[in-house]
Amino acid sequence: MSATAFLILLAAAVLLVPLFKRLGLGSVLGYLVAGMAVGPYGLRVDSQPDAILHTAALGVTLLMFLIGLELQPSRLWALRRQVFGLGTLQMAGVALPVAALGTAFGLGWAAAALVGVAIAMSSTAYILPLLAERRELTTRFGRESFAILLFQDVSVIPILALLALAGAGGKPPGWPALAALGLLAVLGRPVLATMFRYVARFGSGNRELFAAAALLGAVGIAVGLSSVGLSASLGAFLAGVLLADSEFRHELEAAIEPFESLLLGLFFIAVGMGIQLPLLAAQPYLVVGLGAGILLLKACMLFVWRRVVGGDTSTSLTLAIFLACGGEFAFVLLANAGAGGLLRRPTVELLTAAVAVSMALAPILLMLHDRLLKPWMRERQTPPFSPIDTPGEAVVIAGFGRVGQVVGRMLNAQGIAFTALDASPEQVDFVRRFGNKIYYGDASRLALLHAARVGDAKLFVLAVDDVEASVKIAELMRRHFPEVPLLARARNRAHLMRLRELGVRNATRETWWSSVEMGKQALQAIRPGLNVQRIANLFAAHDERLLERQQAVSHDQSALIALSKSARAELEDILQDDAQLALHAQDAGAPPAGDTAAS
């Protein structure tokens, strides 16, 4: 590939990938479209995507190395039910029906089985970042999704090994391959550990050398096994497994991740360049129909089987929709099957295009879930709020997360009863498992406030995390229960000013005092002689006065900016003047003004 072609390819990726992420369609689809745009059926920047694919295959190799690093025995044991139970269920539940359809359309049993497994794969590169971005990795369906994806990624290794051992159109590897595996099992870990200890000892913390050693270890074993007829991905995976319990695991992950992400993106671009756009143009209904069929079949099968083994409707539906799309390893398996003669080239091209279409349609399916199915399921499955069977307590806490729980624990320590409310069913279930009494319900509903007997309370603690919900609850409280004292949590300065506009004077920014404390510690570390408590008191007093002035111009952004800029200089003057006063007081033998009780 020429430098100009490579430059255009990078430009397409830089232009399209952020755009697709902004639209909520994911970076994977952006890479695929970038590949199609610059490929032989688009701008024809390079008519040979195979050259890029060979380079980009290194991204898959490094991905398999990272997956191997994740396979700590302790972690696998902790997730054994989800990984091997749900993973096997999902794989078999999708692969078997697809394989049956494949044999019905004339494929041999081996080819049909491989197509079934390829279609069952979901995209780790798309789903895990999406779950992390939505902060849903720790939810029940998020943990189950991670376990199923881990099982899928690991299952690729024996499948590729079986393809190699079976010959799949070529000569199967013989005793050299078995000898290489035996040698790797015996000497792999001590040799790799010795290499990394050498780098750690003599590299003087050089991150680049450690990255080079990681690449040498992963790619070296991959090339070694590839030379005896086994898969390079299998070699990289085994290299990761050998180091999964070593002291270098976290450093290895950090060192190799940038290379893996970049090369995996290049892999998707190469796949996009290889997608047969003429096939899509000639048979659009067939290709799009197959892509939509993959989504529908996978979603239906996973939903049914998850329900059969005891999953609730909401979790099963969300899990099925997230895992319905095709995955990157489908491209790998289909390409290997085509290269080995197990599948004919037209079949590989059709299925590759269909998997790409399923990945393109997946974000649309997710949007439908978020906007239609999820609200419908929530209203259908959960009551407006839990029945509250206790008499009115002295304190009502709305929002029982990280702030509300601390308040509740301090009240409990003094034997003060309270009623805790939270709008998240998952949070309610989690807190109840620890023996705490908490009620499900959205405190922005007046009916719930009446049910909790807020009017009889001596204090209402507003600790809701969501800013808009917090403001809405504060409005209800001021309108319907103005006599009940309100103590509010504010996410930030803007939230605090909105609460003050509603007349909520007792509002505390959640990170304010911890930030001031860290500031005191920072000053003490740099200048040990400073009276940091006195400086903190002056800073807090100045900020309180500034907040009152900012409140008056909170709806005028230009005035707010000008006031904030002038306040910085004002604070510097206050601290400098106070330092001079303290110096004069010390000279006169009097205690500094900031140290008196009145300050």
Side-chain angles (χ1 to χ4, degrees):
M1 172 180 279
S2 67
T4 303
F6 191 68
L7 182 65
I8 295 174
L9 188 148
L10 288 178
V14 170
L15 177 66
L16 292 174
V17 173
L19 176 62
F20 275 72
K21 288 192 70 174
R22 178 74 175 177
L23 295 174
L25 299 176
S27 58
V28 171
L29 185 58
Y31 283 122
L32 289 172
V33 173
M36 289 188 284
V38 302
Y41 308 107
L43 298 176
R44 300 181 182 180
V45 170
D46 195 324
S47 60
Q48 298 295 328
D50 289 345
I52 305 174
L53 197 56
H54 286 310
T55 304
L58 183 58
V60 178
T61 301
L62 297 182
L63 177 63
M64 297 311 299
F65 178 67
L66 287 175
I67 291 171
L69 283 175
E70 292 292 327
L71 292 187
Q72 295 172 280
S74 58
R75 188 172 191 179
L76 274 181
W77 181 252
L79 294 172
R80 62 191 182 281
R81 288 187 177 181
Q82 291 92 335
V83 173
F84 299 106
L86 288 177
T88 304
L89 185 70
Q90 187 271 345
M91 182 70 74
V94 175
L96 290 176
V98 173
L101 287 172
T103 55
F105 282 96
L107 291 178
W109 67 268
L114 187 131
V115 169
V117 171
I119 297 301
M121 294 289 170
S122 302
S123 178
T124 303
Y126 167 69
I127 296 169
L128 285 187
L130 181 64
L131 288 171
E133 183 181 331
R134 293 162 60 102
R135 299 181 180 178
E136 292 178 326
L137 266 175
T138 55
T139 63
R140 183 179 178 182
F141 91 87
R143 294 191 301 270
E144 292 183 357
S145 298
F146 173 78
I148 291 172
L149 290 169
L150 182 59
F151 179 84
Q152 290 180 1
D153 293 343
V154 172
S155 67
V156 171
I157 297 305
I159 295 168
L160 291 174
L162 286 173
L163 282 173
L165 292 172
K171 184 180 178 181
W175 66 265
L178 296 177
L181 289 175
L183 192 65
L184 180 63
V186 174
L187 298 178
R189 181 163 184 167
V191 170
L192 288 172
T194 301
M195 179 180 69
F196 287 119
R197 287 194 188 99
Y198 171 81
V199 173
R201 182 176 179 181
F202 297 105
S204 302
N206 192 314
R207 189 78 174 263
E208 291 76 14
L209 280 178
F210 211 89
L215 288 170
L216 176 63
V219 178
I221 293 177
V223 171
L225 290 190
S226 179
S227 67
V228 295
L230 293 175
S231 166
S233 298
L234 174 62
F237 173 78
L238 293 176
V241 171
L242 291 171
L243 294 166
D245 275 334
S246 73
E247 66 270 30
F248 305 107
R249 186 174 74 89
H250 296 295
E251 186 70 24
L252 283 168
E253 288 177 335
I256 208 169
E257 189 174 6
F259 299 97
E260 178 264 327
S261 301
L262 178 62
L263 291 172
L264 193 60
L266 194 60
F267 168 78
F268 283 117
I269 289 177
V271 170
M273 293 177 72
I275 290 175
Q276 299 292 317
L277 294 184
L279 176 64
L280 180 60
Q283 298 177 295
Y285 297 112
L286 176 61
V287 177
V288 175
L290 278 175
I294 290 172
L295 281 176
L296 184 61
L297 176 65
K298 290 180 69 174
C300 289
M301 294 307 299
L302 185 54
F303 174 77
V304 169
W305 286 113
R306 188 66 189 91
R307 289 284 289 145
V308 167
V309 295
D312 61 84
T313 304
S314 178
T315 300
S316 302
L317 181 63
T318 306
L319 185 71
I321 286 175
F322 265 81
L323 297 178
C325 67
E328 53 272 9
F329 287 118
F331 300 127
V332 176
L333 292 175
L334 291 172
N336 275 268
L342 195 61
L343 290 172
R344 293 185 302 160
R345 183 170 180 177
T347 304
V348 172
E349 292 174 350
L350 177 62
L351 291 175
T352 299
V355 170
V357 168
S358 77
M359 298 178 76
L361 295 176
I364 300 173
L365 182 64
L366 187 59
M367 290 178 188
L368 291 175
H369 167 263
D370 289 344
R371 296 179 183 179
L372 298 178
L373 294 177
K374 191 174 181 179
W376 176 75
M377 290 297 298
R378 185 185 295 121
E379 292 181 4
R380 181 175 177 269
Q381 289 193 331
T382 57
F385 51 83
S386 302
I388 299 176
D389 52 7
T390 59
E393 304 291 1
V395 180
V396 176
I397 302 177
F400 210 61
R402 54 196 174 97
V403 175
Q405 288 182 47
V406 171
V407 176
R409 286 168 58 195
M410 295 184 70
L411 292 173
N412 268 333
Q414 293 298 316
I416 301 173
F418 60 87
T419 300
L421 312 171
D422 201 281
S424 168
E426 293 84 5
Q427 179 69 6
V428 170
D429 291 340
F430 177 76
V431 172
R432 282 176 177 171
R433 286 204 298 269
F434 289 87
N436 298 296
K437 194 161 189 178
I438 180 174
Y439 298 97
Y440 164 76
D442 183 357
S444 64
R445 296 186 178 188
L446 183 59
L448 176 62
L449 298 180
H450 282 299
R453 302 187 182 180
V454 170
D456 299 332
K458 295 180 181 178
L459 178 67
F460 185 89
V461 179
L462 178 53
V464 173
D465 180 71
D466 184 81
V467 173
E468 296 304 323
S470 171
V471 172
K472 186 176 180 181
I473 295 168
E475 289 175 344
L476 279 177
M477 287 296 301
R478 294 300 82 187
R479 187 181 308 126
H480 297 279
F481 308 99
E483 71 286 352
V484 178
L486 180 58
L487 180 62
R489 158 207 189 180
R491 287 290 302 273
N492 48 41
R493 200 177 192 87
H495 185 195
L496 179 65
M497 287 193 282
R498 291 182 66 181
L499 290 172
R500 287 193 170 197
E501 282 183 356
L502 296 171
V504 181
R505 305 306 299 178
N506 292 328
T508 303
R509 283 166 282 173
E510 61 184 44
T511 59
W512 168 250
W513 291 113
S514 58
S515 301
V516 170
E517 183 63 31
M518 287 184 68
K520 288 165 54 180
Q521 294 178 20
L523 289 172
Q524 190 70 49
I526 301 300
R527 296 182 181 175
L530 286 176
N531 187 339
V532 294
Q533 184 59 51
R534 177 181 176 183
I535 293 173
N537 292 340
L538 287 169
F539 178 79
H542 173 265
D543 188 80
E544 182 64 28
R545 293 192 300 271
L546 176 62
L547 190 61
E548 295 290 345
R549 291 155 61 192
Q550 287 178 328
Q551 187 82 49
V553 295
S554 59
H555 297 289
D556 186 345
Q557 188 175 17
S558 59
L560 190 63
I561 292 173
L563 179 59
S564 300
K565 288 180 178 179
S566 65
R568 293 175 193 167
E570 180 182 303
L571 178 61
E572 290 179 9
D573 292 340
I574 290 173
L575 294 178
Q576 288 176 3
D577 291 345
D578 185 75
Q580 292 295 326
L581 288 173
L583 185 60
H584 292 320
Q586 285 181 348
D587 292 340
D595 291 341
T596 64
S599 66

